[in-house]
Amino acid sequence: MPIDRRTEMTEEETAAFLGRQETGVLALAREDAPYAIPISYGFDADAREFYMRLVSTPDSEKREFLASEPQARLVIYDEVDDVYRSVIAIGPLEEIDPGELSVEEIQQYGEAKRPLFEIWPEQKGDLDIELYRLRPDSLSGRLIEVDRDF
């Protein structure tokens, strides 16, 4: 039976992990209704902030959730060999006016992959692309190593 060792990642390990990853799952909640979507992101290790472009259609459930100023939880994870890493960021999701972006913030959005328009059934003109920042109140990383030789 495999035994696993769980450890908290340090701030440096967490930042390095987030810098290597590009995608995660963004979960939003309002009242008692949850909503989760896969996203790509940019991460500023110095400011400990996430930057994302979120694409929606005029009548999408995503747009309804975003308009309600929901609490956000971003989960980033991977598994390589017998090592599983995950980071959870919790905090408010803030919509950003593109006209108010600094040069540094624009660079962070450049780190986030562009949405793939080809996956949308609607015309590009019907899509709304909004910029968001997540400044987490809580940011924690965990590492689990599985020892299969035990």
Side-chain angles (χ1 to χ4, degrees):
M1 179 165 111
I3 300 288
D4 61 345
R5 292 184 297 274
R6 301 165 198 251
T7 58
E8 296 290 320
M9 293 193 307
T10 65
E11 283 188 33
E12 294 79 18
E13 291 170 328
T14 299
F17 172 75
L18 292 171
R20 289 189 307 269
Q21 304 304 309
E22 297 176 338
T23 60
V25 175
L26 178 65
L28 307 173
R30 63 171 192 222
E31 298 171 16
D32 62 351
Y35 182 75
I37 52 173
I39 56 106
S40 61
Y41 68 88
F43 179 68
D44 181 339
D46 294 330
R48 293 183 46 174
E49 297 175 342
F50 296 86
Y51 296 87
M52 11 184 151
R53 286 185 204 91
L54 300 180
V55 179
S56 60
T57 59
D59 59 347
S60 73
E61 187 177 16
K62 183 190 311 179
R63 190 174 288 184
E64 289 177 27
F65 267 85
L66 292 171
S68 70
E69 298 182 8
Q71 282 296 309
R73 186 173 295 228
L74 178 60
V75 179
I76 297 101
Y77 61 93
D78 80 348
E79 182 178 5
V80 177
D81 299 323
D82 288 334
V83 179
Y84 175 85
R85 291 177 182 81
S86 66
V87 172
I88 299 174
I90 302 170
L93 197 59
E94 172 188 8
E95 185 175 0
I96 304 298
D97 178 352
E100 297 176 7
L101 290 173
S102 69
V103 171
E104 292 80 16
E105 290 171 325
I106 291 170
Q107 290 172 338
Q108 289 302 322
Y109 283 105
E111 295 292 318
K113 287 184 174 179
R114 289 182 170 78
L116 299 175
F117 292 113
E118 294 75 19
I119 66 172
W120 296 93
E122 289 82 4
Q123 295 295 324
K124 289 182 188 179
D126 293 337
L127 298 177
D128 186 23
I129 302 173
E130 297 172 320
L131 305 178
Y132 286 86
R133 173 177 36 223
L134 173 61
R135 291 181 175 152
D137 298 325
S138 169
L139 183 64
S140 61
R142 292 201 176 139
L143 179 140
I144 299 172
E145 295 179 89
V146 178
D147 183 358
R148 298 189 190 279
D149 295 329
F150 184 79

